[in-house]
Amino acid sequence: MMTIERKDELQNLCLRFRNDLIDLLHSIQTGHPGGSLSCTEIVTTLFFEKMNIDPQNPSKEGRDRFIMSKGHACPMLYLNMAEKGYFPKEDLKSLRQIDSHLQGHPCAHKTIGVELSTGPLGMGLGAGLGMALGEKLKNSEASIYVLLGDGEIQEGGIWEAAMAASKYKANNLVAILDNNGVQLDGTLEEIMPMGSIGDKFAAFGWNVIRCDGHDVESFSNAVDEAKKSDDKPSIIIAKTIKGKGVSFMEGKNTWHGKPIDNNEYKQAKAELGGLV
Amino acid sequence: MGKEIAIRDAYGDALLNLGKKNDKVVVLESDVGSSSKSIVFGKEFPERYFNVGISEFNMVSMSTGFASEGFIPFVNTFAVFMTTRGADPIQSIIAYDSLNVKIAGTYAGLSDSYDGASHQSITDISFVRSIPNMTVISVSDAVETAKAVEAIADYNGPVYLRLSRAPAPTIFDDNYDFRIGKGVELKNGKDVAIIATGTILHNALKAAELLNEEGIEATVINIHTIKPIDEELIINAAKRTGAVVTVEEHSIYGGLGSAVAEVLSKKCPTPMEFVGATNFAESGDYNQLLEKYGYSPRSIAEKAKMVINKK
């Protein structure tokens, strides 16, 4: 159980990250706001509540791993990493700019603390499974967290990895689905309806957990439940809203990766309670 | 040349020996383990052997996780599937992050002869060669296979290892000093340089004998490491002979021939001819395919004479 005080702290942190995200993406006029806003509570709860990680020793044996398989949401990853102390916050403004270590999609060999380069969708789950099995060979207790987009799971490789994770009883693998229901060209229903995603993963032999992806306590409890799995990999289906927190972005595929103009910026900041 | 040994058998034995020496070696397979011979490792080390079924994309993706964990994964499938179905994680993770994954593409060239062109691999080198950070090795006999497996395990970085299904005469002995990036001159002649890679090397050697009967002295070079390529050896041979033929069981567009041409056009422009694929082949007996598609010693010798005439 999470205390009310801790819940408030995490929620305030998420609100600050949303504000910082809008500032950042407005200032650089590039990047993906929609999917970054939908995974805010997920990433923040993992980094500040759940994961055993040490920014002073980012390669420490036995640490938990986080793979942002939906790599385009990396602005939210970078905000968390900077806050955690992996790199100076002033680096953030160099995101997507030449000579920066902060690439448009996560890059493990440029950004210390990023566990795996991602961006081309569908590979993070298999890579995470490889890490999970590697940790098992080392008799480690670490968990491997893989954040998937719900559009991303249209990639066949996800289901190849789903089969394999089940075969190898990778109970230390925790997939998290940012289930915002929207992909680049439209809603999932319009572009490629996924039916019951939970039933699909259950049929592949996974432990399926559902939660409110914008409630830090609900998500935190889901992670605790996933870690109790005996012999199955787990997927947390986190119900979210694309563009969460900014009314004109919410649920809109057009805000997958659109620059924020000055008027939109003012409105977004007003809604988030931040100063312009 | 010594007795014929199947490259895949040599590979399986080499993996097994490596597994005994190094417990960081893990092997991934996508349901062709009894063909690639990765199964030899799997029988001895089941806890380090991951047969993920017919899912090359996932197999290669998984290898990136093992490499991130400090293991040395060897991934196995047919070369043609490895570099098409496995291409995405090879390029966007393994090479991009310079991960220590060994990508073993077997049944390369026309060696999966009866299965037909869909299973033969004539484009794998051109793909892996064009990717930054990638080392590309193509072996010619059983000894070289064993030495290469050891060498690439000791090297920290991504490597593509190209393996044939075919039995190949043994060219090298146990004293062979295999070094990544260093080509091997097997014959030194002044009239033409035949530069080959893979098991077809033995036909290049036979071609040199045919040429010799006509009074033409050929240099024969084995380029087992196509990237990084041994520029010095190639340039010296070109300077000495003034005529170069490349020989590879692969498309002449983007493979060894292109790599040699890139070196020579920049540093020592030299007339060239190319023995290799310009089209899909077909089902059939391996030696008959080599004959029909221009890889016979006689065909190689003809190309050598053509390039000598261009001097």
Side-chain angles (χ1 to χ4, degrees), chain A residues 242-252 255 267-268 271-272:
Chain A
K242 192 153 183 160
K244 170 74 175 176
V246 179
S247 63
F248 58 89
M249 293 184 180
E250 287 192 357
K252 297 284 196 313
W255 282 100
Q267 186 184 339
E271 290 183 13
L272 291 167

Side-chain angles (χ1 to χ4, degrees), chain B residues 68-88:
Chain B
S68 303
E69 292 275 336
F71 290 94
I72 307 172
F74 278 68
V75 292
N76 298 274
T77 186
F78 290 10
V80 66
F81 305 139
M82 186 73 83
T83 55
T84 53
R85 291 153 186 232
D88 190 348

Side-chain angles (χ1 to χ4, degrees), chain A residues 65 107-109 117 122-123 126-127 129-131 133-135 137-138 157 160-161 164 167-168, chain B residues 26 47 50-52 55-58 61-62 64-66 68-69 71 88-89 92-93 96-97:
Chain A
R65 265 68 161 188
C107 176
H109 63 271
S117 291
M123 285 179 277
L129 174 58
M131 288 184 191
L133 297 178
E135 287 296 300
L137 283 174
K138 296 178 189 173
E160 292 183 2
K167 170 183 171 178
Y168 291 110
Chain B
V26 297
E47 73 287 355
F50 301 90
N51 190 333
V52 301
S55 60
E56 296 81 6
F57 175 94
N58 179 52
S61 298
M62 281 175 66
T64 69
F66 279 109
S68 303
E69 292 275 336
F71 290 94
D88 190 348
S92 57
I93 308 181
Y96 188 45
D97 284 343

Side-chain angles (χ1 to χ4, degrees), chain B residues 230-241:
Chain B
D230 189 343
E231 296 196 357
E232 190 184 349
L233 186 67
I234 290 166
I235 291 166
N236 286 341
K239 280 183 181 160
R240 188 171 68 236
T241 61

Side-chain angles (χ1 to χ4, degrees), chain B residues 112-244:
Chain B
D112 193 15
S113 69
Y114 293 109
D115 278 338
S118 62
H119 284 53
Q120 297 160 3
S121 184
I122 57 167
T123 57
D124 53 323
I125 298 172
S126 61
F127 168 62
V128 290
R129 192 173 78 83
S130 65
I131 309 172
N133 300 330
M134 190 67 83
T135 292
V136 179
I137 291 175
S138 153
V139 289
S140 61
D141 79 349
V143 174
E144 192 166 77
T145 304
K147 301 254 181 189
V149 167
E150 275 192 42
I152 66 176
D154 287 340
Y155 166 79
N156 185 10
V159 178
Y160 179 71
L161 177 64
R162 189 177 207 242
L163 301 162
S164 173
R165 179 184 196 277
T170 306
I171 296 168
F172 299 100
D173 62 30
D174 289 340
N175 298 320
Y176 174 35
D177 182 19
F178 177 93
R179 289 187 209 175
I180 295 171
K182 294 300 284 181
V184 183
E185 190 169 280
L186 295 166
K187 265 185 192 296
N188 184 321
K190 64 178 178 11
D191 297 321
V192 62
I194 304 174
I195 300 176
T197 193
T199 53
I200 203 67
L201 174 64
H202 64 267
N203 277 12
L205 286 164
K206 285 181 193 160
E209 288 170 21
L210 293 179
L211 290 166
N212 199 38
E213 288 167 12
E214 298 181 40
I216 299 169
E217 294 177 26
T219 288
V220 179
I221 288 174
N222 170 31
I223 292 291
H224 53 69
T225 306
I226 297 169
K227 188 186 178 189
I229 202 161
D230 189 343
E231 296 196 357
E232 190 184 349
L233 186 67
I234 290 166
I235 291 166
N236 286 341
K239 280 183 181 160
R240 188 171 68 236
T241 61
V244 170

Side-chain angles (χ1 to χ4, degrees), chain A residues 78 124 172 177 225 257:
Chain A
Y78 297 152
N172 54 345
L177 188 74
E225 198 181 328

